[in-house]
């Protein structure tokens, strides 16, 4: 077997280099990767370097963490997997020993080893990778490898909607119709929200939002977001406002959109400081952030397998592994055209 990996040389430049085929240790599985989703964090790393730069300037930086593939072999003490099993993975490996791991909130683990970031920066854009069996999941026969790779971002949306306690009768505004916004939209719909208004500046994304269940959309490039949303939902505003764009502009709009006693859920990664007018939210409004997900993979896989969650439709571009450099260049240059991109490793 031959193994290669995509490595970020400098921002804007990647290379595919040959590396050894890893061997699964105790409790690990060796996976031949089939498909990897291109996350916004991958695009940021390609464009500007990792959010958290490595301390060692010689550290190799891999890309990609949304992946699915086939088990090739297993290490000692692995009983739930065998060669030939189709799987997807949770890319974060918690320590299992800190307070947050013991509380079941392992996404907050103090020593989390998350793919394509600290501490090891190993990426999923490779032919073969090893991963703990405990963070590996079987793919039902009804799911494709592409759908398996997108369990990861779908779990972000599911976690956000569940933490926000979306339910029947709730009014929701989602600021941003990128991949995470669209996943959050579908999760909110699954949980019974009555009205879901999605806001974005790109018509292609708004069209996809309507296709995936938004009851209304607002084109922020043409309309005032706050006025348009309240014209749809009423002057009280939304029970829950999700910020998924990772923008200070949309975050600053959220207090004007949420109703008394409602919740602002910050899902996006927002750089810098965002001024908040607390006079607009001093009526028992909650502001909460969410970080990735915890314990959401099983339910998300089930929802996708049962066709209650459509993750494949938002994939507008699929690139071959050998053209990974072009895949990232296109993801930077054509953000208005690419809703979700993926890279096929096999084939």
């Amino acid at each position: 077997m031959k193994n290669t990996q995509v490595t970020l040389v400098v921002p804007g430049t990647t290379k595919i280099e040959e590396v050894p085929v890893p061997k699964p240790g105790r409790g690990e599985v060796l996976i031949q990767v089939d498909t990897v989703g291109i996350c916004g964090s991958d695009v940021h790393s390609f464009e500007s370097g990792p959010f958290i730069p490595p301390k060692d300037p010689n550290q190799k930086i891999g890309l990609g963490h949304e992946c699915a593939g086939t088990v090739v072999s297993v290490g000692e003490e692995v009983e739930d997997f065998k060669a030939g099993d189709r799987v997807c993975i949770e890319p974060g490996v918690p320590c299992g020993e800190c307070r947050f791991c013991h509380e079941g909130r392992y996404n907050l683990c103090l020593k989390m080893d998350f793919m394509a970031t600290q501490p090891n920066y190993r990426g999923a854009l490779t032919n073969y990778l090893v991963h703990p069996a405990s963070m590996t999941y079987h793919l039902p026969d009804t799911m494709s490898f592409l759908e398996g790779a997108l369990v990861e971002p779908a779990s972000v949306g599911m976690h956000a909607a569940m933490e926000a306690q979306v339910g029947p009768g709730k009014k929701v505004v989602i600021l941003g119709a990128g991949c995470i916004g669209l996943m959050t939209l579908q999760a909110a719909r699954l949980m019974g929200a009555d009205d879901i208004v999605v806001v974005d500046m790109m018509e292609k994304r708004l069209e996809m939002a309507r296709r995936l269940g938004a009851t209304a959309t607002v084109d922020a490039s043409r309309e005032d977001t706050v006025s348009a949303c309240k014209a749809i939902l009423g002057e009280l505003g939304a029970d829950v406002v999700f910020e998924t764009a990772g923008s200070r502009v949309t975050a600053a709009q959220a207090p004007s959109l949420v109703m008394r006693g409602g919740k602002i859920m910050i899902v996006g990664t927002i750089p810098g400081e965002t001024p908040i007018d607390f006079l607009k939210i001093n009526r028992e409004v909650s502001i909460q952030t969410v970080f990735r997900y915890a314990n959401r993979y099983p339910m998300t896989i089930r929802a996708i397998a049962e066709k209650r969650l459509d993750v494949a439709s938002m994939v507008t571009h699929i690139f071959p592994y050998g053209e990974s450099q072009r895949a990232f260049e296109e993801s930077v240059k054509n953000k208005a055209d690419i809703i979700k991109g993926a890279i096929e490793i096999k084939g």
Side-chain angles (χ1 to χ4, degrees):
M1 296 188 297
K2 179 183 177 181
N3 193 27
T4 62
Q5 69 178 19
V6 172
T7 301
L8 182 67
V9 181
V10 294
T13 302
T14 64
K15 67 177 179 180
I16 297 177
E17 58 183 355
E18 190 166 344
V19 294
V21 176
K23 295 182 179 180
R26 180 179 287 107
E28 294 181 330
V29 295
L30 174 64
I31 300 170
Q32 183 176 15
V33 182
D34 185 283
T35 305
V36 177
I38 301 174
C39 177
S41 64
D42 297 320
V43 177
H44 178 278
S45 293
F46 173 79
E47 193 172 11
S48 307
F51 280 110
I52 305 175
K55 296 179 181 178
D56 181 358
N58 297 316
Q59 170 75 55
K60 286 189 175 182
I61 298 173
L63 296 172
H65 59 265
E66 306 172 358
C67 78
T70 304
V71 173
V72 176
S73 63
V74 302
E76 296 178 12
E77 300 181 7
V78 175
E79 299 179 354
D80 296 333
F81 296 94
K82 65 182 185 306
D85 285 349
R86 301 166 63 255
V87 297
C88 65
I89 67 170
E90 274 198 54
V93 181
C95 72
E97 299 176 354
C98 70
R99 166 184 172 175
F100 303 106
C101 285
H102 283 299
E103 291 177 350
R105 298 188 295 166
Y106 60 85
N107 55 320
L108 306 181
C109 174
L110 297 169
K111 298 179 181 178
M112 175 69 78
D113 180 2
F114 199 89
M115 296 184 75
T117 187
Q118 63 178 348
N120 295 316
Y121 296 86
R122 65 188 185 102
L125 280 172
T126 183
N127 302 107
Y128 297 93
L129 60 81
V130 293
H131 204 67
S134 60
M135 307 305 286
T136 302
Y137 299 82
H138 289 280
L139 285 183
D141 292 337
T142 55
M143 284 178 63
S144 66
F145 284 118
L146 177 62
E147 291 174 312
L150 298 188
V151 171
E152 200 277 341
S155 293
V156 175
M158 190 73 78
H159 187 61
M162 294 187 73
E163 287 293 298
Q165 299 180 320
V166 174
K170 297 292 185 179
K171 297 181 178 182
V172 171
V173 169
I174 299 174
L175 300 171
C179 176
I180 298 302
L182 295 173
M183 295 296 192
T184 304
L185 153 66
Q186 293 192 77
R189 179 177 53 79
L190 275 179
M191 295 176 67
D194 280 359
D195 298 294
I196 307 175
V197 181
V198 177
V199 181
D200 204 280
M201 299 180 70
M202 302 177 188
E203 176 54 33
K204 187 171 185 176
R205 295 185 177 191
L206 293 174
E207 181 182 351
M208 181 61 67
R210 291 189 290 270
R211 177 178 174 180
L212 294 176
T215 54
T217 58
V218 172
D219 185 341
S221 69
R222 300 180 180 180
E223 304 174 78
D224 177 75
T225 296
V226 176
S227 298
C229 287
K230 288 193 172 182
I232 298 167
L233 298 176
E235 278 301 311
L236 287 180
D239 293 281
V240 184
V241 178
F242 293 95
E243 199 295 317
T244 69
S247 164
R248 281 178 285 183
V249 173
T250 48
Q253 291 171 338
S256 298
L257 292 166
V258 68
M259 69 172 61
R260 297 183 177 202
K263 177 170 283 190
I264 297 171
M265 185 65 76
I266 305 296
V267 188
T269 301
I270 303 170
E273 297 181 358
T274 301
I276 297 293
D277 183 351
F278 283 96
L279 282 177
K280 293 183 178 179
I281 58 171
N282 70 341
R283 296 296 185 272
E284 299 194 358
V285 169
S286 301
I287 300 178
Q288 183 178 343
T289 64
V290 290
F291 187 59
R292 297 171 182 155
Y293 40 77
N295 307 303
R296 306 302 188 197
Y297 258 55
M299 65 183 69
T300 304
I301 291 171
R302 192 180 317 118
I304 295 171
E306 295 174 357
K307 308 303 180 186
R308 292 182 289 121
L309 197 62
D310 179 2
V311 297
S313 290
M314 67 182 71
V315 179
T316 53
H317 294 68
I318 299 178
F319 302 88
Y321 178 55
E323 298 182 18
S324 294
Q325 173 71 23
R326 182 174 72 87
F328 285 107
E329 290 175 345
E330 290 292 317
S331 297
V332 171
K333 292 186 296 185
N334 297 327
K335 292 179 180 178
D337 192 41
I338 298 177
I339 296 177
K340 181 67 177 179
I343 295 174
E344 288 186 338
I345 308 297
K346 290 180 65 177

